[in-house]
Amino acid sequence: MINYEENIEVKGARVHNLKNIDITIPREKLVVITGLSGSGKSSLAFDTIYAEGQRRYIETFSAYARQFLGGLERPDVDKIDGLSPVIAIEQKTTSKSPRSTVGTITEIYDFLRLLYARAGDAYSYNTGEKMVSYSDEQIRDLIKKDYDQKKINILAPVIRSRKGHYRELFEQIAKQGFVKVRVDGVVVDITKGMKVDRYKVHDIEIVIDRLKVIDTEDFDKRLSETINTAMYSGENVLMVLEEGQKIARYFSRDLMCPTTGISYPNPEPNTFSFNSPKGMCSHCSGLGHVYQVNEKKIFPNKKLTIKAGGIAPLGEYKSSWAFKQIDTIGQRYKFDINTPIEKISEEAINVLLNGTVESFDLDSKTLGVKRTYKIDYEGISNFITNQFNEADSTSIKRWAKEYMDKITCPTCDGSRLRKESLNFKVDEKNIAELAHLDISELAEFFKKLPKKIQGNQLKIAEEIIKEISTRVQFLLDVGLDYLSLNRSSKSLSGGEAQRIRLATQIGSQLVGVLYILDEPSIGLHQRDNERLIKSLEALRDLGNSVIVVEHDKDMIERADHVIDIGPKAGKYGGEIISEGKPEDLKNFNTLTADYISGKKQIEVPKQRRKGNGKKITLSGCTGNNLKNVTASFPLGKLIGVTGVSGSGKSTLINETLYPIMNAYYFNGVKKPMPYKKITGLEHIDKVIDINQSPIGRTPRSNPATYTGVFSEIRSLFTKTSEAAIRGYKPGRFSFNVKGGRCETCQGGGLRVIEMNFLPDVYVECETCNGKRFNRETLEIRYKGKSIADVLEMTINEAVDFFELIPKIHRKLKTIKEVGLGYISLGQQSTTLSGGEAQRIKLATELSKRDTGNTFYILDEPTTGLHFEDIRVLMEVLERLVDKGNTILVIEHNMDVIKMADYIIDIGYEGGKGGGKLVAKGTPEEVCKDKKSYTAKFLRKELGL
């Protein structure tokens, strides 16, 4: 008997390419599933075990609730026993919203908001004094004590420093039974039709009562009622004015400045949220930046005349309403359309930019009479701003954005919060200052905080500080000490986002859960790997089961149990080829075992390439954390850019170098991070960036359509004699348009049967039997195969089948060369792994005729690749470089780094401790650096 409390039992798993496998996975252990890319690791971990866990969870809801959730179909498996609640930590799940930050994802910011709302001290933004608030009883006692035997007026402020005649307000006050008001420091009686100068700024208070302060019971009762009435009329603020004095004293139920009387509403956690109207800066709506029109972009060349296109958004002169208005403005301000911009007066430029509404008279030379002209002109700057804020069309917004700069919001200075929220402090720091700190500095702040506060404040804050400190510590444990809480989540790499979610999960301290992680070591330097493995062991030691899909050697060696799936990929994989403790792996004859035991390895090249002697030099980069970096990229070499996570690699390459090159060769619109200058761009022909974003988001996208080979195949089918007789065009062979596709399933091959409160069922279309095309289209055959048969072929089969058609053969051969021979031409893009999608992009680019002078940028191309796949990939890259191209790889994987001809190492640490160029040169030269972390691991790898 299998003990389900100790094991998870999977029987008959057949999802994707799994070959009806049975497996027992020990619970409360760290289990690593490894194997070649595409062998079926994710199919077992995510599409079988996780999918079944999710389905069981949703089954617990009522049928009514399930119909809104959209059902989950049962994975193709006979049974799974011993499954506990499942949480998947994948790479693709961070929010792309500009409002999502590291603080909001980890929930640390929520605790900070609570800390400031309950234990923060408020300070006046006018005088910097500490704010005070009183209860009605305290106010009564203070008045009796401070004004004993004195005559006082109790006032309720209703208008503060605002313009207006306020006639209606005076009428309203009179109707409430009050007879006197104090206007601008003078007490007057309210008269019928009374009003004040509407163009001046006024302060108006209602005189609620006039009293002499004595110590009797009746007086106490009257004073309490007066205070209550004054608080009601003055919105929780009242003023006490001694007879004969000019300056009144303020009292408030809310937080209030004792000198100027400004008050803040009582703080709530929402007061400190930049996503809530209560806390956000009203100018930038809590985003921290605004777009502002740049005058230099509107008048790029001031030597040009208006007629020749001196005003960039309007272009050259044409007979339009805008130019007619400019003619009229010209008559008023003494210029015309042939005047160069630099000769036009500043006043006129201001009108052109910001608009005006005015009338003026001019003598008509021809008629000899005066004519009146009226200008009602919006102004170019206002027009662009309005289009950007209000236009529905993306293209118009993009047009407007060309003339604008993204600047830090001048009102909140990028802190995203209103000034009231920023004047609450804990240990002399406001919440925005804490959100700016690196996680390591934040940890230090909270370590010292309990000693710096006392009394009630400490009592209230104690538990919150404990919660924040533990969560911050978990972020440090997964190697994210260089991030700050206000870092936008869309700027995080896949690996960083996954490790943040991991830290959040460890922080929640759940027990008895099954965690499934997808390559958490992505984007992590070898130095931080140890921290990550310790975090996973901590999850396991709490009493959880942890399954990790991983290729990392250290992770495999530290696992309690390893499952190797193979032997090859795609339809040749899907079997368990070995399992057991890491040390037992070496007894099996598998690719993974060979690489771990050192039988097989990726060879270090005998000599490094010399390159072509030319280089691109980028100098003075200061984006994000870069500290005035100047880097040279020698051409004709394989360049590796290395450094710990957060050191500034992506800022230098993806945010600075690539946008500059893309704009130079292809007029790209993305603005690069700040830099001083770049030289040497003339030495190459084009730049190609290959990243990890998915190649298609719908099941209709597949490798054949993405690489463009399907268009060639369709053209080939139209050239067969039968298709020519019937007059079929290439569209006939597309499953996305009417004509050749099966109309029952609209070319999908499957039909969705909606089951209301049960999961939707996908059934094979009975008309075309899953072939996607109608009978007439399938009658057209090339070498005995229909278009549907071709889509079902694997790349390996298709390479042989289309051997004689060079255009098709070349594209397919490249896909085979990057190690994807096992996928089928028509496989849905949504079922491809991240590593596979990136290699299909790579193959698409490689199949284009390279000029022998192209600059390729690859961001962590080894993501999701097994040791053997890395070897195949490196062979492809080596061939490209041998033809004269330059390849730049951002990478942590030592197998790639040791093969580079030139390394640029950025460090030493991440975040504020990074951003410097630490070492550069061949791997052997970089190894000599004693402080570089990369050098330390590289020496081990090269055996130096």
Side-chain angles (χ1 to χ4, degrees):
M1 272 299 284
I2 286 167
N3 184 350
Y4 293 134
E5 287 180 9
E6 289 175 13
N7 296 300
I8 298 166
E9 185 74 10
V10 179
K11 289 267 190 212
R14 293 176 295 276
V15 176
H16 299 322
N17 65 339
L18 296 179
K19 306 243 173 34
N20 202 12
I21 60 174
D22 301 343
I23 185 153
T24 304
I25 300 172
R27 284 169 58 105
E28 295 182 23
K29 295 278 185 279
L30 175 56
V31 179
V32 169
I33 301 180
T34 187
L36 288 174
S37 305
S39 58
K41 304 181 299 298
S42 296
S43 302
L44 174 63
F46 288 96
D47 302 327
T48 307
I49 298 173
Y50 174 61
E52 176 63 10
Q54 279 294 79
R55 188 188 67 79
R56 290 186 190 180
Y57 169 60
I58 284 177
E59 289 289 303
T60 60
F61 295 163
S62 67
Y64 175 72
R66 287 205 303 274
Q67 73 182 18
F68 300 110
L69 286 167
L72 291 174
E73 58 178 311
R74 186 189 169 88
D76 190 359
V77 59
D78 294 339
K79 69 171 187 172
I80 301 181
D81 288 317
L83 197 59
S84 43
V86 188
I87 293 177
I89 303 179
E90 295 175 273
Q91 292 156 29
K92 307 180 184 107
T93 42
T94 50
S95 161
K96 292 283 175 264
S97 157
R99 297 190 172 280
S100 167
T101 65
V102 171
T104 57
I105 309 173
T106 54
E107 297 168 11
I108 294 174
Y109 195 75
D110 300 335
F111 283 105
L112 276 186
R113 285 175 20 217
L114 184 63
L115 175 71
Y116 274 80
R118 300 290 177 255
D121 292 325
Y123 293 87
S124 163
Y125 56 74
N126 274 353
T127 62
E129 293 173 86
K130 199 167 177 180
M131 305 281 268
V132 289
S133 66
Y134 299 107
S135 67
D136 288 6
E137 288 74 24
Q138 284 173 314
I139 296 171
R140 191 187 66 204
D141 295 344
L142 277 170
I143 291 174
K144 282 173 67 178
K145 180 169 158 253
D146 295 351
Y147 296 99
D148 191 24
Q149 303 302 321
K150 292 177 182 168
K151 288 185 176 173
I152 57 168
N153 291 334
I154 296 206
L155 316 171
V158 284
I159 297 295
R160 284 192 208 163
S161 307
R162 292 212 336 248
K163 292 178 182 178
H165 57 65
Y166 297 115
R167 197 177 70 204
E168 292 84 1
L169 177 73
F170 291 127
E171 282 176 11
Q172 205 181 340
I173 292 169
K175 277 182 189 162
Q176 287 171 1
F178 299 112
V179 291
K180 288 182 186 291
V181 283
R182 180 173 179 250
V183 179
D184 301 331
V186 181
V187 177
V188 293
D189 289 332
I190 300 175
T191 55
K192 201 170 183 193
M194 174 175 172
K195 60 181 180 180
V196 289
D197 186 339
R198 68 179 296 182
Y199 297 110
K200 284 189 180 163
V201 172
H202 300 289
D203 290 322
I204 301 173
E205 295 98 24
I206 306 172
V207 179
I208 303 286
D209 202 351
R210 309 175 78 179
L211 314 154
K212 183 178 179 189
V213 180
I214 48 174
D215 190 10
T216 66
E217 210 171 295
D218 288 350
F219 174 79
D220 284 2
K221 197 173 170 195
R222 178 174 169 185
L223 183 58
S224 297
E225 283 169 6
T226 303
I227 290 171
N228 211 9
T229 311
M231 287 291 186
Y232 176 75
S233 301
E235 294 185 340
N236 285 349
V237 179
L238 64 79
M239 295 159 70
V240 176
L241 180 68
E242 195 182 331
E243 289 273 335
Q245 297 288 330
K246 285 272 188 285
I247 296 170
R249 189 169 155 194
Y250 288 88
F251 293 94
S252 170
R253 286 177 184 161
D254 295 337
L255 289 164
M256 174 203 75
C257 168
T259 309
T260 58
I262 54 161
S263 69
Y264 299 166
N266 279 330
E268 286 300 317
N270 266 1
T271 311
F272 304 98
S273 165
F274 44 78
N275 295 330
S276 152
K278 283 186 176 174
M280 67 169 65
C281 159
S282 53
H283 187 213
C284 62
S285 303
L287 292 174
H289 59 257
V290 288
Y291 284 92
Q292 182 177 310
V293 174
N294 181 345
E295 190 182 321
K296 284 181 184 160
K297 290 183 178 177
I298 290 178
F299 307 120
N301 180 355
K302 293 202 169 184
K303 290 186 169 58
L304 287 179
T305 63
I306 294 175
K307 189 173 186 178
I311 303 177
L314 298 180
E316 290 183 10
Y317 183 83
K318 45 196 165 294
S319 180
S320 69
W321 169 239
F323 281 105
K324 285 195 179 91
Q325 283 186 304
I326 289 172
D327 274 338
T328 313
I329 294 168
Q331 290 177 22
R332 166 80 175 82
Y333 290 98
K334 313 284 186 293
F335 70 88
D336 61 29
I337 56 168
N338 294 312
T339 312
I341 301 286
E342 60 188 2
K343 297 274 171 65
I344 299 174
S345 71
E346 227 171 275
E347 191 184 4
I349 291 279
N350 190 33
V351 169
L352 286 173
L353 284 172
N354 302 316
T356 182
V357 177
E358 57 180 301
S359 304
F360 61 94
D361 297 328
L362 276 182
D363 292 330
S364 172
K365 285 170 189 169
T366 46
L367 301 173
V369 293
K370 276 195 171 182
R371 289 189 61 187
T372 301
Y373 289 87
K374 191 161 191 276
I375 309 173
D376 185 352
Y377 179 61
E378 183 178 17
I380 299 164
S381 182
N382 295 337
F383 176 73
I384 290 173
T385 308
N386 291 340
Q387 290 301 319
F388 180 73
N389 292 333
E390 286 155 29
D392 295 328
S393 150
T394 320
S395 55
I396 290 179
K397 275 185 188 285
R398 197 180 301 133
W399 169 82
K401 209 168 169 181
E402 281 173 26
Y403 304 104
M404 303 176 93
D405 287 339
K406 183 177 176 178
I407 60 161
T408 304
C409 169
T411 310
C412 66
D413 206 15
S415 69
R416 300 172 159 220
L417 296 167
R418 58 201 314 161
K419 60 182 176 187
E420 290 88 345
S421 308
L422 293 173
N423 278 284
F424 282 83
K425 297 188 178 178
V426 169
D427 189 21
E428 296 178 10
K429 282 199 182 316
N430 65 35
I431 194 165
E433 288 169 328
L434 287 193
H436 269 287
L437 296 177
D438 280 359
I439 299 287
S440 50
E441 295 170 323
L442 191 69
E444 198 55 35
F445 175 85
F446 279 107
K447 202 168 159 187
K448 293 175 180 168
L449 187 60
K451 295 181 184 126
K452 295 192 174 180
I453 53 177
Q454 58 237 332
N456 275 349
Q457 197 181 18
L458 179 61
K459 250 186 200 165
I460 296 165
E462 209 166 15
E463 280 303 310
I464 307 175
I465 293 173
K466 211 183 284 176
E467 282 289 340
I468 294 174
S469 300
T470 51
R471 280 161 203 265
V472 168
Q473 188 54 47
F474 293 131
L475 282 177
L476 295 178
D477 291 345
V478 292
L480 294 173
D481 46 358
Y482 55 89
L483 292 179
S484 62
L485 293 186
N486 63 358
R487 168 87 176 260
S488 171
S489 63
K490 66 177 179 184
S491 72
L492 297 169
S493 68
E496 283 171 339
Q498 194 180 4
R499 291 198 295 282
I500 283 178
R501 291 199 54 216
L502 174 63
T504 311
Q505 286 302 335
I506 302 173
S508 63
Q509 298 276 323
L510 296 175
V511 176
V513 173
L514 170 60
Y515 287 101
I516 303 183
L517 291 94
D518 189 5
E519 291 199 63
S521 67
I522 289 176
L524 199 59
H525 194 273
Q526 304 293 101
R527 179 197 72 159
D528 300 323
N529 231 348
E530 181 63 25
R531 286 170 167 183
L532 173 69
I533 295 171
K534 282 200 166 129
S535 298
L536 294 175
E537 288 173 344
L539 260 187
R540 173 199 67 191
D541 296 342
L542 278 170
N544 297 302
S545 314
V546 182
I547 295 179
V548 187
V549 175
E550 189 56 274
H551 299 287
D552 182 73
K553 196 171 173 179
D554 297 342
M555 185 79 80
I556 293 172
E557 288 173 345
R558 291 278 289 276
D560 301 318
H561 190 83
V562 181
I563 297 167
D564 194 1
I565 297 185
K568 292 278 191 318
K571 60 160 76 166
Y572 309 112
E575 298 172 33
I576 307 286
I577 50 175
S578 72
E579 62 168 314
K581 291 193 162 60
E583 51 271 24
D584 303 342
L585 269 194
K586 294 165 187 167
N587 308 331
F588 292 94
N589 187 15
T590 66
L591 275 171
T592 309
D594 288 351
Y595 276 100
I596 283 184
S597 62
K599 260 189 219 167
K600 270 194 165 187
Q601 58 184 31
I602 296 171
E603 296 298 331
V604 179
K606 299 274 184 292
Q607 61 188 69
R608 310 288 177 190
R609 293 181 191 82
K610 296 279 179 279
N612 59 18
K614 294 170 182 161
K615 61 180 180 181
I616 289 175
T617 303
L618 176 61
S619 48
C621 303
T622 52
N624 289 342
N625 65 340
L626 294 180
K627 299 185 175 66
N628 202 11
V629 169
T630 296
S632 290
F633 304 95
L635 302 178
K637 291 187 178 186
L638 174 60
I639 306 170
V641 178
T642 62
V644 298
S645 314
S647 58
K649 304 181 299 295
S650 295
T651 305
L652 180 65
I653 307 301
N654 298 340
E655 308 282 332
T656 314
L657 180 66
Y658 176 65
I660 297 169
M661 295 173 87
N662 195 27
Y664 182 82
Y665 301 110
F666 308 116
N667 299 324
V669 291
K670 187 176 173 193
K671 193 178 166 194
M673 289 277 188
Y675 70 102
K676 286 195 183 116
K677 69 170 189 178
I678 186 165
T679 56
L681 288 178
E682 67 280 0
H683 299 316
I684 55 172
D685 302 337
K686 59 177 180 176
V687 61
I688 291 170
D689 180 38
I690 302 168
N691 57 21
Q692 294 169 17
S693 54
I695 60 173
R697 289 193 165 77
T698 70
R700 288 184 178 275
S701 157
N702 58 44
T705 55
Y706 184 82
T707 54
V709 74
F710 196 44
S711 307
E712 304 290 350
I713 294 173
R714 287 177 9 219
S715 301
L716 178 67
F717 269 84
T718 58
K719 289 179 184 139
T720 56
S721 50
E722 184 64 29
I725 294 164
R726 297 189 187 185
Y728 287 169
K729 298 277 181 290
R732 179 82 201 188
F733 299 98
S734 164
F735 48 75
N736 289 330
V737 291
K738 284 183 178 171
R741 71 180 183 188
C742 161
E743 282 308 317
T744 313
C745 62
Q746 297 189 329
L750 299 167
R751 274 182 55 231
V752 183
I753 311 283
E754 290 185 8
M755 304 284 282
N756 288 344
F757 52 80
L758 284 171
D760 291 347
V761 175
Y762 289 89
V763 295
E764 196 174 77
C765 169
E766 63 274 10
T767 314
C768 66
N769 294 328
K771 297 265 196 257
R772 297 176 156 213
F773 296 93
N774 57 29
R775 196 177 44 128
E776 291 79 6
T777 311
L778 294 173
E779 282 167 1
I780 309 295
R781 294 185 175 262
Y782 169 75
K783 284 186 163 173
K785 300 277 187 191
S786 70
I787 187 89
D789 298 332
V790 168
L791 282 175
E792 281 172 15
M793 286 180 184
T794 64
I795 302 287
N796 287 338
E797 291 164 352
V799 167
D800 300 335
F801 185 75
F802 291 109
E803 198 173 357
L804 302 174
I805 316 291
K807 267 186 170 177
I808 298 174
H809 184 256
R810 192 176 77 245
K811 286 187 175 170
L812 295 175
K813 190 163 174 282
T814 342
I815 303 178
K816 182 180 176 178
E817 282 169 356
V818 294
L820 292 177
Y822 58 87
I823 63 174
S824 63
L825 274 173
Q827 184 174 340
Q828 298 173 357
S829 291
T830 47
T831 64
L832 294 172
S833 67
E836 287 171 335
Q838 191 177 17
R839 281 182 293 160
I840 283 182
K841 284 186 186 175
L842 183 62
T844 309
E845 294 300 343
L846 298 183
S847 64
K848 295 174 182 168
R849 291 248 155 85
D850 67 273
T851 55
N853 210 4
T854 303
F855 197 100
Y856 293 91
I857 296 175
L858 285 85
D859 192 353
E860 295 196 41
T862 57
T863 299
L865 299 196
H866 185 269
F867 309 108
E868 180 67 10
D869 299 310
I870 294 175
R871 188 184 62 75
V872 173
L873 174 74
M874 290 314 292
E875 280 175 9
V876 176
L877 297 184
E878 293 278 321
R879 278 209 302 278
L880 260 186
V881 183
D882 289 339
K883 285 183 184 169
N885 299 299
T886 308
I887 295 186
L888 186 150
V889 183
I890 302 176
E891 193 50 270
H892 293 290
N893 191 304
M894 284 297 150
D895 287 328
V896 176
I897 297 169
K898 70 182 184 189
M899 293 185 74
D901 303 312
Y902 188 86
I903 292 177
I904 295 171
D905 190 31
I906 298 172
Y908 290 96
E909 301 292 334
K912 288 177 184 162
K916 293 191 188 112
L917 199 115
V918 174
K920 58 180 193 283
T922 63
E924 287 75 15
E925 288 165 5
V926 169
C927 281
K928 291 173 187 161
D929 190 292
K930 292 281 178 276
K931 283 174 77 179
S932 158
Y933 291 111
T934 306
K936 179 180 157 191
F937 290 98
L938 197 52
R939 284 195 288 274
K940 199 164 130 192
E941 194 70 33
L942 295 173
L944 295 175

